[in-house]
Amino acid sequence: MLDRIVRLLEGALAAALLTGLCLLSASADAAHALNAEAPPDGPLGHYADFLQESGVRLTPDEVMTRLRRGEGATPRRPVPDFGIGARPVWLHWRIENHAAQSLIRRLSMDTPWVDDLDVYVIQAGTVQAHWQTGDARPQRQRPIAGLGFAFDLHLEPGRTDVLMRAATADPMVLPTSLQAIETAGTAHRWTHYSHGFVYGYLLALIAYNLLLYTGLRKRSHLLYAVYLAAFILMNLGYTGHGYAWLWPDYPGVQRYVILISMVLFGVAGLQFAARFLDLARHAPALRNAVHLLCVAALLAVGAAAAAGQQAITAWIAFGFVVMFALVMLLLGVLAVRHGYTAARYFLAAAVAGMSGTLASSLAVWGFIPFNEWTYRAVELGMLADATLLALAIAHRFRQDQQERIRAEHLARTDPLTRLPNRRAFREQAEAIWSTALRRERDITLVMIDIDHFKQLNDRYGHQRGDEALAAVGQILLAAGRRGDVAARWGGEEFVLLLPETNETQAAALAERLRQKIALIRLRAGDTEISLSASFGVAQRRGEASLDALIDNADRLLYRAKQLGRDRVVANSSEAAQPLGGPTA
């Protein structure tokens, strides 16, 4: 009796266990099923089973048989990724159409660099549709023209199985979605609009920098334009725009253009950075290292592509792009530490560009989840990078202008007195002289000489002499009116050009200046040093040139020295008697 009860319990337990397993299996199967009437938003990875081939190509029947035996697995991420050079992968979805009529849904796969892509639609155990495509085939062979791959599925009521086989030597990342055709069209339009904005913005920056290069001949502007152009080429390649628009009949180009343009992008960026930061002058060893890295990357990717080693080319390209991002960040940090021009803008740009480049590279590589944000992070980073670098270039341009203005100012200014030098005086005075001649207006010139300046230098040293020159210069700077031109003529001589001023007014001004100079006191130890100056005042009275007026004022200055110095002499008196100062 007891044995019978035990057998009944064992039977009941086995039945319960079997029922539970069946329910669990049905639940799991239901969890993987897609509802054709309301497809999920987002990628389909968690709704798929996958198998990887081990060397021999499988048929759809073999795949379905192995999946029914439970040999498949569910991808660990919504977007399945398998890395560079992965073995061919089969994805399987079960789609349930609970409607009474057939439905059309668009299956999309948004990475355009998959070499070979096969899609099978199976209903009632029979293959109803089969498409063969991939970027190893011409663009015109795609069932629906576009950036990625799209297939319109005609789903009859009931169950439909969809198999997708993907094979590529590039990174195997498979973002798939199922949408109503109208919804898919809207999504693709927004994708086109966003890419159009990116290209338009970057092309405007390229045109602007090419114009600057044409006008200024600064190579940093040319290299920056090349850097942006390399990014656009890379973006055209990996988004599929290039294959759709530019080389649709050349799958061999599409196979390598993404990888080669990645290296070109990094090389152009490093060359621009080296030029912009002037590494050849500030850090020649680092500049040589950057140059060697660029040459090595170009040779390596070129050799791998020429040998037809797509997987090796992909490893080189992705490795170099990651290295490029890190080197740009390093250069930005070093630039800030050494105080290079616009270094903070450059560092911010490097951080933005590095973040976007790394995020997209690692997402495509399979190290971080692949989604719309990580896939297009390189574009967002590049927009920020381009904007900040444009600001850096503008800042550098402003600083160059300011330095040029300062250099021109220094070339035209006497550093000791801060007055214009003879060259600057000539430039300003000629225009004033021409205006006075044309309008027949009064103009007077005053020549000034510090008395006994050589003896002051010999007795008290050149430092006291410099202090005397600076003190007189300050008096002339403070006394000048708007339009007057005061300058250091040379040595201990100064000149003062007074437009709209007659001789009497000029002589009165010269007398006030003489008195102020006489109040100057310098010290040499315990000795107090006083100064005096002589003045020659000449109003234009028929002189045909400015030089003639200067010669006349210089003659009057010499006369003031002959009369005992520390006085003002003008040409109004026939005897050239002094108008101010001590009597002879």
Side-chain angles (χ1 to χ4, degrees):
M1 183 65 178
L2 182 60
D3 292 340
R4 186 177 180 182
I5 293 173
V6 170
R7 285 194 298 272
L8 288 173
L9 289 174
E10 288 176 346
L13 181 61
L17 182 59
L18 180 61
T19 301
L21 289 173
C22 291
L23 290 174
L24 182 61
S25 175
S27 175
D29 192 39
H32 282 80
L34 290 167
N35 184 350
E37 296 174 277
D41 287 332
L44 304 178
H46 286 164
Y47 294 87
D49 297 310
F50 78 90
L51 286 172
Q52 276 192 283
E53 294 180 355
S54 57
V56 178
R57 175 163 181 156
L58 300 175
T59 65
D61 287 340
E62 291 171 334
V63 172
M64 294 300 295
T65 298
R66 292 179 61 174
L67 290 175
R68 280 192 291 269
R69 291 203 302 257
E71 296 181 24
T74 300
R76 56 194 176 94
R77 290 175 178 163
V79 176
D81 52 72
F82 303 92
I84 296 175
R87 290 172 291 145
V89 175
W90 288 83
L91 296 177
H92 165 254
W93 295 276
R94 182 167 68 87
I95 304 175
E96 294 287 350
N97 179 9
H98 301 292
Q101 70 279 353
S102 64
L103 298 173
I104 300 177
R105 294 292 180 262
R106 180 162 292 174
L107 178 68
S108 301
M109 215 281 290
D110 293 331
T111 48
W113 58 78
V114 177
D115 295 336
D116 294 294
L117 197 65
D118 289 79
V119 174
Y120 300 86
V121 179
I122 302 172
Q123 294 170 342
T126 302
V127 175
Q128 300 295 327
H130 173 213
W131 295 281
Q132 288 182 299
T133 184
D135 74 348
R137 293 181 172 87
Q139 173 79 210
R140 63 178 177 273
Q141 292 186 10
R142 298 190 181 187
I144 299 174
L147 304 184
F149 305 98
F151 313 89
D152 285 345
L153 310 181
H154 293 261
L155 304 174
E156 299 297 332
R159 170 172 174 163
T160 299
D161 291 284
V162 177
L163 292 176
M164 176 184 286
R165 180 186 183 273
T168 185
D170 291 326
M172 180 83 77
V173 55
L174 306 173
T176 51
S177 61
L178 187 69
Q179 297 170 306
I181 299 213
E182 298 80 7
T183 305
T186 300
H188 284 125
R189 278 194 298 274
W190 279 110
T191 299
H192 288 309
Y193 293 155
S194 63
H195 281 120
F197 171 78
V198 171
Y199 296 149
Y201 186 79
L202 296 180
L203 286 172
L205 286 178
I206 289 173
Y208 174 66
N209 279 276
L210 288 177
L211 287 174
L212 288 177
Y213 172 71
T214 302
L216 302 175
R217 292 296 170 181
K218 293 181 70 69
R219 285 190 63 196
S220 57
H221 293 292
L222 177 61
L223 290 172
Y224 182 58
V226 173
Y227 172 53
L228 296 179
F231 174 79
I232 291 177
L233 176 63
M234 180 180 72
N235 190 271
L236 288 171
Y238 76 74
T239 60
H241 286 99
Y243 201 24
W245 300 340
L246 303 178
W247 50 86
D249 297 322
Y250 299 96
V253 172
Q254 177 64 13
R255 177 168 293 190
Y256 288 100
V257 69
I258 301 173
L259 304 174
I260 293 175
S261 63
M262 288 170 65
V263 175
L264 293 176
F265 167 64
V267 168
L270 291 175
Q271 292 299 315
F272 162 72
R275 186 75 181 190
F276 180 77
L277 298 175
D278 199 8
L279 294 184
R281 181 162 62 94
H282 296 299
L286 182 58
R287 170 68 184 90
N288 292 337
V290 168
H291 182 70
L292 287 175
L293 175 62
C294 293
V295 171
L298 289 172
L299 291 176
V301 78
Q309 299 296 321
Q310 189 175 351
I312 296 176
T313 307
W315 279 105
I316 293 170
F318 277 87
F320 177 71
V321 164
V322 171
M323 190 177 300
F324 153 71
L326 296 176
V327 172
M328 288 289 278
L329 179 61
L330 173 64
L331 292 177
V333 171
L334 292 177
V336 170
R337 289 186 60 184
H338 289 84
Y340 295 167
T341 303
R344 295 188 182 278
Y345 283 111
F346 183 87
L347 177 59
V351 170
M354 180 206 70
S355 301
T357 301
L358 281 179
S360 292
S361 298
L362 295 176
V364 171
W365 213 335
F367 288 104
I368 63 174
F370 183 102
N371 55 49
E372 186 72 14
W373 291 105
T374 56
Y375 175 50
R376 300 193 65 180
V378 65
E379 296 174 19
L380 298 176
M382 193 61 192
L383 288 177
D385 179 281
T387 302
L388 290 167
L389 284 179
L391 292 174
I393 289 174
H395 181 78
R396 178 73 172 270
F397 182 69
R398 286 196 303 270
Q399 286 200 328
D400 288 346
Q401 279 189 316
Q402 291 169 358
E403 289 176 3
R404 186 163 53 252
I405 291 171
R406 280 195 296 269
E408 291 176 356
H409 177 72
L410 290 174
R412 296 158 50 88
T413 303
D414 175 60
L416 186 60
T417 63
R418 293 189 295 168
L419 289 170
N421 56 22
R422 183 182 294 205
R423 170 191 167 191
F425 173 80
R426 287 282 189 184
E427 292 173 357
Q428 298 178 57
E430 288 293 346
I432 296 172
W433 174 260
S434 297
T435 301
L437 287 184
R438 187 170 60 255
R439 298 181 180 179
E440 297 184 353
R441 306 295 296 177
D442 290 336
I443 186 168
T444 303
L445 188 135
V446 180
M447 292 293 292
I448 307 159
D449 185 272
I450 300 175
D451 296 330
H452 305 296
F453 186 75
K454 184 177 185 304
Q455 290 90 326
L456 186 152
N457 268 336
D458 293 343
R459 184 172 180 181
Y460 299 107
H462 289 284
Q463 183 177 351
R464 299 289 87 77
D466 289 347
E467 291 174 0
L469 292 169
V472 173
Q474 287 301 307
I475 290 174
L476 294 179
L477 279 173
R481 305 167 304 175
R482 182 184 296 273
D484 295 346
V485 181
R488 184 179 177 187
W489 191 245
E492 69 274 21
E493 285 190 330
F494 298 85
V495 63
L496 183 60
L497 183 66
L498 305 171
E500 304 292 342
T501 306
N502 60 34
E503 182 182 278
T504 302
Q505 295 166 327
L509 173 61
E511 177 59 24
R512 291 194 297 273
L513 294 175
R514 186 192 69 79
Q515 293 173 8
K516 289 182 179 180
I517 292 172
L519 296 176
I520 294 173
R521 295 295 182 268
L522 305 176
R523 299 201 65 84
D526 296 332
T527 303
E528 186 176 80
I529 306 169
S530 60
L531 299 178
S532 67
S534 301
F535 295 76
V537 180
Q539 180 181 350
R540 176 183 176 271
R541 298 184 187 278
E543 288 88 351
S545 67
L546 179 62
D547 285 334
L549 184 63
I550 293 172
D551 289 342
N552 193 17
D554 197 50
R555 178 183 59 80
L556 293 168
L557 172 63
Y558 182 71
R559 179 64 174 156
K561 291 181 179 181
Q562 285 182 322
L563 293 172
R565 294 183 171 84
D566 191 21
R567 65 194 64 231
V568 177
V569 173
N571 62 4
S572 59
S573 171
E574 292 182 2
Q577 295 297 317
L579 299 180
T583 57

